[in-house]
Amino acid sequence: MDAGAVAAALEDARFDARQNSRFEDLADDVRGRAELAEWERIEQLLAAAPAGTLYDPDTDPVVRTELEADAAAAAAREADLRDAARIAARADELQALRDLGTLDQAEPAEGDEAVRDELTRRAGGYVLADVDAWLAHALATHRGHYHAPAAREEAAGLLTPPILAHAALLTELARLVPGAHADELAFAARLATAEPEAAGALAAFLTRAHPDR
């Protein structure tokens, strides 16, 4: 578009704005005001450009920025959808293992903290004790994804206080009694669930029994 065409479009937008202002139901026409502001911006853009410059939206920095923002938002939505699908599929997998009673055989994977939240949501907010215990044991024994220190550190901000307290207590109890069977340590889950702060304090106290740490 040349400057003349832009000027004509601007005048049309101004005319529409004046007409709308006469009617109460159109006085707050947000779209019309935005269109008018955009034509005013384009007119100013051409006024600052060399004479004879044509307006091209492909070279308009504002338009390009908006298109890039739209593309980034679309990509983010696609990523969210893929992540949601992955979480749902993993939740189905862990749910099936729970039903079979073989959840403890599963290796924790990246993102299982979000999967735990999804399973809890599916259960209507009910805390799934076996899932929480599975995560606590995996965290305490550095199993699967939790073999990496960075993953364990990240989990500290994603898992609930009872799970973290349970894991910390299991870690210290295993140091005190190496080879203790999981059934012997079932009390740790009950303590962490009922009194997570007390369980965490106990784990910290037991840590003092290992000055080499």
Side-chain angles (χ1 to χ4, degrees), residues 76-91:
R77 288 193 296 271
E78 287 294 326
D80 288 343
L81 289 173
R82 289 194 299 271
D83 194 46
R86 180 192 61 77
I87 290 173
R90 177 64 169 169

Side-chain angles (χ1 to χ4, degrees), residues 1-136:
M1 299 178 67
D2 59 20
V6 171
L10 175 58
E11 185 55 36
D12 288 343
R14 286 172 174 165
F15 175 80
D16 291 340
R18 288 194 298 270
Q19 291 295 100
N20 290 344
S21 67
R22 299 176 182 178
F23 301 93
E24 184 176 351
D25 59 334
L26 297 176
D28 294 329
D29 180 18
V30 176
R31 181 177 179 180
R33 290 200 300 271
E35 182 179 351
L36 174 58
E38 181 64 5
W39 283 120
E40 289 175 341
R41 184 189 68 80
I42 294 173
E43 182 187 48
Q44 293 172 3
L45 187 66
L46 286 183
T53 299
L54 298 179
Y55 174 72
D56 183 356
D58 290 339
T59 60
D60 185 334
V62 173
V63 174
R64 289 178 63 87
T65 298
E66 291 176 349
L67 290 175
E68 290 171 359
D70 289 343
R77 288 193 296 271
E78 287 294 326
D80 288 343
L81 289 173
R82 289 194 299 271
D83 194 46
R86 180 192 61 77
I87 290 173
R90 177 64 169 169
D92 291 341
E93 177 186 354
L94 295 185
Q95 182 64 57
L97 292 174
R98 286 184 69 231
D99 294 342
L100 292 172
T102 57
L103 178 61
D104 60 337
Q105 298 177 18
E107 288 289 319
E110 181 178 0
D112 275 352
E113 298 86 4
V115 175
R116 182 260 181 197
D117 294 340
E118 169 64 13
L119 288 170
T120 303
R121 184 194 65 78
R122 291 182 182 184
Y126 178 77
V127 175
L128 304 177
D130 51 355
V131 174
D132 284 2
W134 172 68
L135 286 168

Side-chain angles (χ1 to χ4, degrees), residues 190-212:
R190 295 194 296 272
L191 178 58
T193 300
E195 296 287 347
E197 289 187 8
L202 177 57
F205 181 80
L206 293 176
T207 302
R208 294 167 55 186
H210 307 282
D212 57 320

